Short mmCIF file of all heavy atoms in Angstrom, two decimals:
data_model
loop_
_atom_site.label_atom_id
_atom_site.label_comp_id
_atom_site.label_asym_id
_atom_site.label_seq_id
_atom_site.Cartn_x
_atom_site.Cartn_y
_atom_site.Cartn_z
N PHE A 148 1.24 8.26 1.84
CA PHE A 148 1.60 9.67 1.58
C PHE A 148 1.95 10.36 2.89
O PHE A 148 1.05 10.61 3.69
CB PHE A 148 0.49 10.35 0.81
CG PHE A 148 0.30 9.68 -0.47
CD1 PHE A 148 -0.79 8.65 -0.68
CD2 PHE A 148 1.05 10.03 -1.61
CE1 PHE A 148 -0.93 8.13 -1.92
CE2 PHE A 148 0.82 9.44 -2.85
CZ PHE A 148 -0.19 8.45 -2.96
N GLU A 152 5.22 19.22 7.76
CA GLU A 152 5.05 20.69 7.74
C GLU A 152 6.34 21.33 7.80
O GLU A 152 7.22 20.92 8.59
CB GLU A 152 4.11 21.12 8.91
CG GLU A 152 2.69 20.78 8.72
CD GLU A 152 1.76 21.53 9.63
OE1 GLU A 152 2.06 22.63 10.13
OE2 GLU A 152 0.65 20.99 9.94
N ASP A 169 10.51 2.30 0.07
CA ASP A 169 10.87 2.92 -1.24
C ASP A 169 10.19 4.21 -1.46
O ASP A 169 8.92 4.28 -1.47
CB ASP A 169 10.64 1.99 -2.36
CG ASP A 169 11.39 0.69 -2.26
OD1 ASP A 169 12.56 0.69 -1.73
OD2 ASP A 169 10.84 -0.29 -2.73
N ALA A 193 5.75 7.35 -15.49
CA ALA A 193 5.06 6.15 -15.94
C ALA A 193 3.94 5.68 -14.96
O ALA A 193 3.16 4.80 -15.24
CB ALA A 193 6.04 4.97 -16.16
N LYS A 203 -3.55 15.10 -4.46
CA LYS A 203 -4.76 15.05 -3.61
C LYS A 203 -4.39 15.20 -2.10
O LYS A 203 -5.10 15.86 -1.37
CB LYS A 203 -5.53 13.80 -3.90
CG LYS A 203 -6.36 13.81 -5.18
CD LYS A 203 -7.19 12.66 -5.37
CE LYS A 203 -8.06 12.82 -6.66
NZ LYS A 203 -9.00 11.68 -6.78
N ALA A 205 -1.83 16.85 -0.94
CA ALA A 205 -1.46 18.25 -0.71
C ALA A 205 -2.69 19.19 -0.71
O ALA A 205 -2.80 20.11 0.19
CB ALA A 205 -0.49 18.77 -1.84
N HIS A 212 -6.48 23.70 5.98
CA HIS A 212 -5.84 24.86 6.53
C HIS A 212 -6.44 26.12 5.89
O HIS A 212 -5.79 27.19 5.81
CB HIS A 212 -4.35 24.77 6.26
CG HIS A 212 -3.64 23.87 7.20
ND1 HIS A 212 -3.65 22.48 6.91
CD2 HIS A 212 -3.03 24.02 8.37
CE1 HIS A 212 -3.01 21.89 7.97
NE2 HIS A 212 -2.65 22.76 8.82
N GLY A 213 -7.64 26.08 5.38
CA GLY A 213 -8.36 27.21 5.02
C GLY A 213 -8.30 27.62 3.52
O GLY A 213 -8.89 28.59 3.14
N GLY A 217 -6.97 25.66 -5.63
CA GLY A 217 -5.76 24.84 -5.76
C GLY A 217 -5.03 25.28 -7.11
O GLY A 217 -5.67 25.40 -8.11
N SER A 220 1.47 25.00 -10.33
CA SER A 220 2.52 25.71 -11.16
C SER A 220 3.80 24.93 -11.41
O SER A 220 4.64 25.35 -12.07
CB SER A 220 2.87 27.03 -10.54
OG SER A 220 3.56 26.87 -9.34
N LEU A 229 -4.24 15.23 -15.11
CA LEU A 229 -5.39 14.80 -15.89
C LEU A 229 -6.41 14.06 -15.05
O LEU A 229 -7.57 13.97 -15.39
CB LEU A 229 -4.97 13.84 -17.00
CG LEU A 229 -4.06 14.48 -18.10
CD1 LEU A 229 -3.57 13.49 -19.13
CD2 LEU A 229 -4.71 15.64 -18.69
N ALA A 249 -12.57 15.93 -6.14
CA ALA A 249 -13.65 15.09 -6.66
C ALA A 249 -13.08 14.26 -7.79
O ALA A 249 -13.52 13.13 -8.09
CB ALA A 249 -14.80 15.89 -7.18
N HIS A 251 -11.43 13.39 -11.79
CA HIS A 251 -11.87 13.46 -13.12
C HIS A 251 -11.69 12.06 -13.69
O HIS A 251 -10.62 11.56 -13.72
CB HIS A 251 -11.12 14.48 -13.98
CG HIS A 251 -11.50 14.53 -15.35
ND1 HIS A 251 -12.73 15.07 -15.82
CD2 HIS A 251 -10.89 14.09 -16.49
CE1 HIS A 251 -12.73 14.92 -17.06
NE2 HIS A 251 -11.73 14.38 -17.57
N CYS A 252 -12.71 11.40 -14.12
CA CYS A 252 -12.59 10.07 -14.70
C CYS A 252 -11.87 10.04 -15.91
O CYS A 252 -12.20 10.73 -16.91
CB CYS A 252 -13.95 9.45 -14.84
SG CYS A 252 -13.95 7.79 -15.55
#
Side-chain angles (χ1 to χ4, degrees):
F148 297 96
E152 286 196 27
D169 298 328
K203 286 185 174 183
H212 287 81
S220 67
L229 298 176
H251 178 73
C252 180

